[in-house]
Amino acid sequence: MDRNLTPSNPSALFALPPMQGGGRATESLLSYLVRLARAHQIDARRLVRYTVWPALPLDGAGLAISFYREDARTVNGIGRYAYAFTQALERLTSVQGLEGLTFQAWKGVIPEIGAGFLAKEVRWCPACLAEQRQQRVDSHFPLVWSLDAYRVCTRHHRPLQHLCPWCGKRQQLIPHYPDQARCTHCCGYLAPASTLQTQENIQEADLRRAHSLESMIATPEGKIMPTHPQLMAILQTAAERWTEGEKKKLSLMLGLSDRAIGGWANKQQKPAFSQLLQIADKLDLTLHQLFTQPLPDQAPSSASPVPAKGKPRPAAQLSKASLESRLRQQLDAPNTAEPVSRILKRIGVTRSYAKYWFPELLAQLAHKHQQSQQQATAERQIEDVERVGRVFRNIAATGDYPSIRRMSQALRPYRLSLQREPLWNAYKKLRERFCDMDNRGRIR
């Protein structure tokens, strides 16, 4: 990669087109960065460290290890890293409009530093990834998956996942291996093909909120850039229409503290993202509609009081004894090792309630699931090593030398890489045997 741009070499990196389309279809800037590394067949972090980071318009900012652990998630957001990475990647690739892969259009109404906006961990819809693989398109993570409040996929009606189905670990924000659909720890595929057939019941309220969040990523022709004065004008209109101009009453009507709207107006403060989302929910509008459509004629109903927190209580339809019986049945069931969260969801109790009464049972179920995942990972590793052997022999049978390059090309359709230590060790042993090949070309 040439870092010095010249008229004959207008871009240092490939002009890779992003996956766009608006809403659920638009990929995130982090996803684009990983796909860019994959297009160049290099480690995604090496691309960041040696090519992208030196091009960032940041004054005296060195690349710290904490960036990969925490700050990388803000590349998809509205802050300085979102702006800097957008500018650098547009310059390096000559691809314009990459700010559409972030939430920078909403920086006028969302505080740059605030809780509840961007998720702290990588999450994905297994069915979406399996569908991408089935359609033979590059694996990519939509931008909307990076929002903390986005919990369910509106296409497949499934909750997003955050743990590898094979090793049970969380994923790195910027992986070494340039494919987000692969676990950054065990390299297992995050979405087995069987996930396309799985169906789960999703609450209607969760789907409405997910659609509202998807509306933030509008198509190019429907793009908006909300501002703080625009939001204040909308709320002022609502106050004049429903509460005779009293902001305190409007705040309570929208389920906020009585001084929330007044504080935003007087101190020029931006609402927390959760508050902005609550306003749209209360008005039965998506976030996009909040800034593009007239307010409804009828005032929203008053917010219901927040229930007081207390000790976890059993579900009305399930006694403590019944819960213990169900958990023990699950523990004793052969060839079954579901995640604890899925078991409790099917039973119909919260984790806090089950853990309050039966912490040992929950620990045993978690251990059983972990062992099952480890066994599945080991079996998958054996299968992958056997695949390397078959590919090696197929190349050798054609009379070609099974070089690293040929092996990598042949393994790519199977989403395998010799960068994985077990596969590399298997390849080295096969190559040593290949050097002792007899005159008939058969491996001893």
Side-chain angles (χ1 to χ4, degrees):
M1 291 175 290
D2 184 7
R3 301 177 191 173
N4 299 317
L5 308 185
T6 65
S8 60
N9 180 26
S11 66
L13 301 176
F14 297 149
L16 183 70
M19 301 286 187
Q20 291 185 332
R24 182 175 43 78
T26 299
E27 75 171 324
S28 69
L29 192 61
L30 274 182
S31 173
Y32 178 77
L33 182 64
V34 175
R35 284 202 307 118
L36 196 60
R38 184 174 182 84
H40 291 85
Q41 296 186 350
I42 63 172
D43 185 310
R45 293 196 178 190
R46 289 180 62 86
L47 178 68
V48 172
R49 183 178 184 85
Y50 296 109
T51 304
V52 180
W53 195 270
L56 295 182
L58 297 174
D59 296 331
L63 177 57
I65 191 64
S66 60
F67 171 79
Y68 295 117
R69 291 198 304 262
E70 301 172 5
D71 297 336
R73 67 190 179 99
T74 64
V75 170
N76 293 335
I78 60 178
R80 66 174 188 142
Y81 281 131
Y83 172 79
F85 271 78
T86 296
Q87 296 299 310
L89 289 174
E90 285 185 349
R91 176 173 174 268
L92 291 169
T93 63
S94 296
V95 176
Q96 301 303 307
L98 295 184
E99 72 277 357
L101 310 187
T102 70
F103 290 102
Q104 293 180 71
W106 290 80
K107 61 184 178 182
V109 292
I110 299 175
E112 182 176 336
I113 301 177
F117 179 43
L118 295 175
K120 295 182 179 180
E121 56 193 6
V122 179
R123 297 182 303 185
W124 63 91
C125 169
C128 284
L129 294 184
E131 198 170 64
Q132 291 171 13
R133 187 180 189 184
Q134 190 179 64
Q135 295 173 356
R136 298 184 180 276
V137 299
D138 287 349
S139 298
H140 59 277
F141 278 34
L143 175 60
V144 73
W145 289 358
S146 60
L147 290 174
D148 184 60
Y150 191 84
R151 304 298 176 86
V152 298
C153 173
T154 58
R155 176 176 175 80
H156 299 101
H157 290 200
R158 294 195 50 174
L160 300 190
Q161 304 296 315
H162 67 282
L163 298 177
C164 171
W166 307 105
C167 66
K169 294 183 179 180
R170 290 175 169 81
Q171 303 304 298
Q172 298 171 350
L173 295 166
I174 299 181
H176 287 284
Y177 185 70
D179 187 352
Q180 283 190 298
R182 286 285 179 183
C183 175
T184 54
H185 302 280
C186 70
C187 213
Y189 191 60
L190 297 179
S194 59
T195 57
L196 279 172
Q197 284 75 42
T198 306
Q199 298 290 333
E200 296 191 34
N201 293 325
I202 300 298
Q203 298 293 329
E204 186 64 29
D206 293 335
L207 284 175
R208 285 199 305 270
R209 171 157 291 194
H211 281 295
S212 179
L213 295 169
E214 289 176 351
S215 74
M216 296 177 67
I217 312 165
T219 55
E221 59 272 15
K223 183 178 180 181
I224 62 171
M225 296 190 69
T227 63
H228 184 267
Q230 186 181 4
L231 176 62
M232 290 301 100
I234 293 171
L235 295 176
Q236 180 64 36
T237 301
E240 293 174 355
R241 180 179 299 179
W242 299 325
T243 62
E244 299 179 350
E246 294 189 25
K247 294 185 178 64
K248 286 187 177 181
K249 289 185 178 180
L250 179 63
S251 296
L252 295 174
M253 180 181 292
L254 296 177
L256 307 169
S257 65
D258 58 352
R259 299 183 181 181
I261 297 178
W264 302 338
N266 300 331
K267 301 179 182 179
Q268 294 297 304
Q269 295 176 339
K270 297 176 183 177
F273 182 68
S274 59
Q275 294 174 319
L276 184 65
L277 186 57
Q278 182 172 331
I279 292 173
D281 287 347
K282 198 65 180 176
L283 298 177
D284 198 22
L285 298 171
T286 67
L287 285 168
H288 186 272
Q289 291 171 343
L290 179 63
F291 292 93
T292 57
Q293 292 190 9
L295 292 172
D297 295 329
Q298 188 175 1
S301 58
S302 299
S304 56
V306 178
K309 294 183 178 180
K311 292 183 178 180
R313 298 182 179 274
Q317 70 278 14
L318 191 66
S319 66
K320 177 183 173 182
S322 299
L323 173 60
E324 182 179 13
S325 176
R326 296 280 292 277
L327 292 177
R328 291 196 180 280
Q329 288 178 4
Q330 192 68 34
L331 184 63
D332 297 335
N335 303 322
T336 303
E338 293 182 282
V340 174
S341 58
R342 187 179 301 171
I343 295 172
L344 297 180
K345 183 176 181 180
R346 186 173 62 253
I347 294 176
V349 297
T350 63
R351 178 183 287 269
S352 59
Y353 169 66
K355 189 175 181 179
Y356 181 82
W357 292 111
F358 308 110
E360 293 183 0
L361 275 178
L362 257 63
Q364 293 173 9
L365 285 169
H367 180 66
K368 181 181 179 182
H369 174 65
Q370 184 179 11
Q371 286 185 320
S372 173
Q373 297 301 305
Q374 291 174 350
Q375 181 180 354
T377 301
E379 292 174 352
R380 177 60 180 270
Q381 183 170 299
I382 293 173
E383 179 183 343
D384 291 344
V385 169
E386 293 175 349
R387 174 75 66 181
V388 170
R390 288 195 294 269
V391 170
F392 188 97
R393 290 177 175 84
N394 289 339
I395 295 176
T398 63
D400 293 328
Y401 176 71
S403 64
I404 295 177
R405 182 178 179 181
R406 284 196 178 97
M407 288 291 297
S408 298
Q409 291 175 343
L411 290 172
R412 190 172 296 123
Y414 303 105
R415 303 280 182 157
L416 298 178
S417 170
L418 292 179
Q419 291 182 359
R420 290 172 56 185
E421 185 176 356
L423 304 189
W424 172 249
N425 292 336
Y427 169 70
K428 287 197 301 183
K429 292 180 181 179
L430 290 167
R431 188 172 59 182
E432 291 172 0
R433 296 173 60 191
F434 182 79
C435 293
D436 298 330
M437 185 182 300
D438 60 19
N439 294 331
R440 292 176 298 175
R442 298 174 60 183
I443 299 177
R444 293 177 181 176

